[in-house]
Amino acid sequence: SALDATGGFDQEIAYYGEDTSLGWAVMEAGWRRGFAAGAVAYHDIEERGVGYHLRVGLLERNAARLAKRFPGFRREACWRPWAFRRENAMFALAFVGLVVAIRKPVAIVLALPYARMRLPGPDHPRRARFMIERMLVDAARVAGTTLGSVRYRIVVL
């Protein structure tokens, strides 16, 4: 009944967020959310490469769509009203710091919170590669949310 009342999945979101959109539409239609111990979904565990994570990062543009359509999503699911994830905000700050550091080298300190947050431990077996992959994925996420912000006219990094 809840799915019928809300029109089902958002057809404009092909992937990444269509289920979240449905959930928020159901709640806004007056249905309550809850926990059902018997409703368990099992997914195969698979190792996905960095290419997959880059593609999904760009799909974070849908977070801006959800934030615009569902204010409750923005309040509850976003790290801050203007940032979907903490990592996105820290990456954006680091990027600004690196760009400004071209003219004012002291601005490099703006990159330190991101580096501290994302740097793997010294015993990580592929430390340099892992760090580069994390930076690329975070860049894709920020690119995605920035594109979504422009498209949906709402600021969500």
Side-chain angles (χ1 to χ4, degrees):
S1 296
L3 299 179
D4 288 338
T6 57
F9 287 103
D10 184 340
Q11 296 300 309
E12 288 188 37
I13 302 176
Y15 179 70
Y16 194 89
E18 76 287 355
D19 50 351
T20 303
S21 179
L22 176 61
W24 281 98
V26 166
M27 288 190 299
E28 287 197 353
W31 296 81
R32 291 185 348 195
R33 61 181 162 189
F35 177 76
V40 177
Y42 294 97
H43 295 275
D44 291 335
I45 297 173
E46 64 180 86
E47 188 68 34
R48 295 182 172 153
V50 71
Y52 168 84
H53 293 286
L54 291 171
R55 287 188 300 278
V56 169
L58 290 171
L59 290 174
E60 284 200 7
R61 68 181 177 269
N62 293 335
R65 176 185 173 84
L66 294 169
K68 176 120 183 187
R69 185 169 174 205
F70 306 108
F73 170 83
R74 191 172 193 181
R75 282 189 309 275
E76 292 185 36
C78 292
W79 176 68
R80 295 286 188 266
W82 47 269
F84 183 48
R85 299 175 189 267
R86 179 174 180 254
E87 295 86 348
N88 293 15
M90 295 295 114
F91 180 87
L93 182 65
F95 181 79
V96 167
L98 293 174
V99 170
V100 172
I102 295 169
R103 297 230 183 233
K104 303 225 183 243
V106 71
I108 197 78
V109 300
L110 296 176
L112 294 178
Y114 175 77
R116 183 171 179 241
M117 177 183 67
R118 285 309 220 184
L119 189 65
D123 58 336
H124 193 281
R126 297 173 309 154
R127 188 173 193 211
R129 179 179 173 178
F130 189 68
M131 180 69 179
I132 290 167
E133 288 175 351
R134 276 186 165 180
M135 288 189 301
L136 290 172
V137 170
D138 288 342
R141 288 175 170 173
V142 170
T145 54
T146 300
L147 290 171
S149 292
V150 170
R151 181 173 182 187
Y152 301 111
R153 295 182 184 99
I154 187 171
V155 176
V156 179
L157 279 178

